[in-house]
Amino acid sequence: MGSPWSDFVVDPLADLVFGSQCLGCALPGRMLCGDCSAALPTTAFWTRPTPCPEGLGAVAASAAYGGPVQAMVVGHKEHRQLALRRPLARLLATSVQLLVADDPGVPVLVVPVPSAPSSARRRGHDPLYAVARGAARALRRAGTPARVTRLLVVGRRVHDQSGLDSAARAQNLAGALAGRRRALKAAASGRPVHVVIVDDVITTGATAREAQRALEELGVRLRGIAVIAATQRRTALLSSAGFD
């Protein structure tokens, strides 16, 4: 699915050489120009879907889902615009940091919501896993020990979520994910850790709640859910805190 060299040097260079424009201001050149990159959020906020799935853990997001951030998420995920990986990872790291800010010395296990194998094959990459890896690197550079761990797998196929309301999404996803007990044992190694589920966007919270359920069945005490962005239509923005 690519290497760090490919993610951060070769692919972004190809985007530039073969022609692109900034998703924020349409300036020819980089996928995200320097000014628009500098204008991305540097703080995270607490958010809750409305209505909220019962028992959903704390949720932190870095942006509302819209404008350049939405274009970045879609461009990276669906159009393999790999130059967007680093700024998306920075946004995700900001959300993770808010969840663990009161206990910064404890290692963080970053657990991405898994993509269906068929989706990864169709896209030619696993976008969330790649962004999660970048977020873990950003956290380590900021002094928070972090690593990405695949603790979740897709247990069964689900129907397309588009157009489904919160209740239908929850029913569609019920039992769809499973936890990997051996992977948890290897990752934790008996040490105290903060386990954080990560995803690109939270809408109804059904996916996050299903991921949380699968980890809870392993006995995981979840620290929370971190996302790049939260949809404005179905989420309430509660408060903010910074991350450098």
Side-chain angles (χ1 to χ4, degrees):
M1 294 296 178
S3 67
W5 174 262
S6 175
D7 292 352
F8 296 120
V9 179
V10 177
D11 292 312
L13 181 60
D15 287 340
L16 182 59
V17 169
F18 291 111
S20 62
Q21 63 182 25
C22 176
L23 293 174
C25 66
L27 183 72
R30 297 181 179 180
M31 299 298 304
L32 196 67
C33 73
D35 288 344
C36 289
S37 178
L40 290 175
T42 58
T43 60
F45 53 83
W46 304 110
T47 183
R48 305 294 288 173
T50 304
C52 185
E54 183 178 356
L56 183 68
V59 183
S62 289
Y65 190 57
V69 171
Q70 180 175 351
M72 288 166 62
V73 170
V74 174
H76 177 256
K77 178 188 284 187
E78 301 297 345
H79 305 299
R80 213 166 187 267
Q81 294 171 338
L82 303 184
L84 299 172
R85 238 170 230 181
R86 179 170 284 182
L88 288 171
R90 192 168 71 240
L91 291 173
L92 185 58
T94 302
S95 299
V96 175
Q97 184 65 23
L98 177 56
L99 288 168
V100 302
D102 63 340
D103 202 2
V106 177
V108 178
L109 292 185
V110 177
V111 181
V113 172
S115 299
S118 58
S119 296
R121 287 193 297 270
R122 173 177 59 81
R123 293 173 176 140
H125 69 143
D126 189 339
L128 180 60
Y129 180 71
V131 171
R133 288 179 60 192
R137 283 191 287 268
L139 288 164
R140 291 193 296 270
R141 287 195 297 268
T144 299
R147 59 177 293 192
V148 178
T149 306
R150 294 185 188 265
L151 295 187
L152 294 168
V153 294
V154 177
R156 65 167 179 81
R157 295 184 63 182
V158 298
H159 300 296
D160 183 5
Q161 296 271 81
S162 59
L164 299 182
D165 62 17
S166 56
R169 286 191 179 211
Q171 184 176 8
N172 184 41
L173 288 166
L177 300 180
R180 301 175 63 221
R181 193 172 300 278
R182 289 184 179 179
L184 174 63
K185 185 176 180 181
S189 301
R191 300 168 299 168
V193 293
H194 291 321
V195 179
V196 175
I197 294 169
V198 297
D199 204 351
D200 49 10
V201 180
I202 189 164
T203 303
T204 66
T207 300
R209 188 64 186 91
E210 171 59 16
Q212 180 179 334
R213 177 206 60 78
L215 291 182
E216 287 173 343
E217 287 193 355
L218 296 182
V220 170
R221 185 175 180 181
L222 188 69
R223 186 71 173 183
I225 300 108
V227 297
I228 296 168
T231 57
Q232 295 173 291
R233 182 168 59 92
R234 287 178 174 160
T235 58
L237 314 184
L238 304 179
S239 63
S240 64
F243 173 60
D244 185 2

